[in-house]
Amino acid sequence: MSGLATSDNPVDSVATNPSQPSITSTTTPDASRREPASAAAGTTELSSQSVTALHEHEQQQLETAKKLVVNALRFVPDFPIPGIKFIDILPIFQDPTAFESLLDVLVLLIRERFGDQIPDVIVGLEARGFLFGPTLALRLNRPFVPVRKKGKMPGACRTVEYKKEYGKDEFQVQTDAIKPGQSCLIVDDIIATGGTAAAAGQLVELSDASVMGYLFMIEITNLKGKALLGDKPMITLVEHDEEE
């Protein structure tokens, strides 16, 4: 494959979801998966990554698609329990235009960060990394490898333990899924504390492969999950600080 290609389809605007508080082109409500309803709304911004390496029409497409993705998010109060505010990314996948635009912007961000280098493998984290990871891999003409919780995949697996908010859990990857020497881009919907992403990175390295970088739709910046990822490049669409 000679390079990264985005869709030729124009990026159309989508009406703001009625369940979402009104936002400007640069801010949006709380973008964490959950937050006590009484907490401050926080600050959410589109990731301010440089786009100087892209052509002018690609820059415009990138910024328009970012805003479209934010507008497609839905915020659900008192889910899964009272006092929790949940961010629902599923409306993006229910709208073909929003989904296509999401893939376009991810491809552009990958090219912006890595130039003509394309990851050998897209590694997606259970479960929301499975929503766009396979289609992103298909767009890049690359294989997709799932990372799942222990006991959900047959055959020999590599296992890494990671800490959760309460207790511990384990991630696995099949031993023949990632080949030695391959470069891997790890993708998921949100990075918060960074434990699951870091565990996936360990699984890649246990496979004698390398972590090319990480890609997330949303980063909760005040939780500083990026610190667990070391010096690896990280791509995000939306940055959110719950404390501002």
Side-chain angles (χ1 to χ4, degrees), residues 74-91:
R74 177 168 57 199
F75 299 84
V76 183
D78 298 321
F79 181 84
I81 60 175
I84 299 299
K85 183 163 56 177
F86 184 84
I87 181 168
D88 186 8
I89 65 172
L90 297 181

Side-chain angles (χ1 to χ4, degrees), residues 41-104:
T43 301
T44 302
E45 297 182 352
L46 295 175
S47 180
S48 56
Q49 296 167 318
S50 169
V51 293
T52 54
L54 302 177
H55 296 298
E56 183 176 352
H57 74 280
E58 292 174 325
Q59 294 178 16
Q60 183 178 2
Q61 182 185 22
L62 176 60
E63 295 308 314
T64 301
K66 282 183 178 181
K67 295 169 187 175
L68 187 151
V69 170
V70 171
N71 287 341
L73 297 174
R74 177 168 57 199
F75 299 84
V76 183
D78 298 321
F79 181 84
I81 60 175
I84 299 299
K85 183 163 56 177
F86 184 84
I87 181 168
D88 186 8
I89 65 172
L90 297 181
I92 293 172
F93 306 100
Q94 296 163 7
D95 184 312
T97 299
F99 193 5
E100 179 103 36
S101 296
L102 173 64
L103 295 174
D104 284 346

Side-chain angles (χ1 to χ4, degrees), residues 11 20 26 53-54 83 89 94 108 112 116 131 157 161 170 174 196 209 214 221 225 232 242:
V11 178
Q20 172 184 350
T26 57
L54 302 177
I89 65 172
Q94 296 163 7
L108 288 169
E112 176 194 38
D116 290 333
L131 291 174
C157 293
E161 184 181 88
E170 292 176 304
Q174 292 173 315
T196 56
Y214 297 83
T221 55
K232 299 298 183 183
E242 294 176 331

Side-chain angles (χ1 to χ4, degrees), residues 118-124 137 140 142-146 177-179 182-187 204 209-210 212-213:
I118 305 173
D120 296 318
V121 180
I122 300 297
V123 177
L140 298 175
R142 291 295 188 263
F144 174 81
V145 171
I178 300 174
K179 305 301 187 290
Q182 289 185 318
S183 63
C184 301
L185 181 66
I186 297 171
V187 305
V204 168
S210 63
M212 185 175 180

Side-chain angles (χ1 to χ4, degrees), residues 225-239:
K226 184 189 298 186
L228 291 184
L229 307 183
D231 60 356
K232 299 298 183 183
M234 189 178 86
I235 297 170
T236 57
L237 282 177
V238 176
E239 297 173 347

Side-chain angles (χ1 to χ4, degrees), residues 95-196:
D95 184 312
T97 299
F99 193 5
E100 179 103 36
S101 296
L102 173 64
L103 295 174
D104 284 346
V105 72
L106 295 181
V107 169
L108 288 169
L109 288 173
I110 291 170
R111 187 168 78 198
E112 176 194 38
R113 183 60 184 82
F114 300 110
D116 290 333
Q117 298 180 45
I118 305 173
D120 296 318
V121 180
I122 300 297
V123 177
L125 277 59
E126 184 174 357
R128 291 171 179 255
F130 298 172
L131 291 174
F132 64 93
T135 47
L136 176 61
L138 185 62
R139 180 73 73 89
L140 298 175
N141 193 30
R142 291 295 188 263
F144 174 81
V145 171
V147 168
R148 303 202 65 186
K149 291 183 178 180
K150 186 177 180 179
K152 292 191 175 183
M153 293 186 292
C157 293
R158 294 185 174 87
T159 305
V160 166
E161 184 181 88
Y162 65 95
K163 293 182 179 180
K164 300 172 62 176
E165 184 177 1
Y166 301 104
K168 301 178 180 179
D169 211 334
E170 292 176 304
F171 261 168
Q172 291 186 321
V173 67
Q174 292 173 315
T175 56
D176 59 352
I178 300 174
K179 305 301 187 290
Q182 289 185 318
S183 63
C184 301
L185 181 66
I186 297 171
V187 305
D188 200 8
D189 66 326
I190 290 177
I191 178 170
T193 61
T196 56

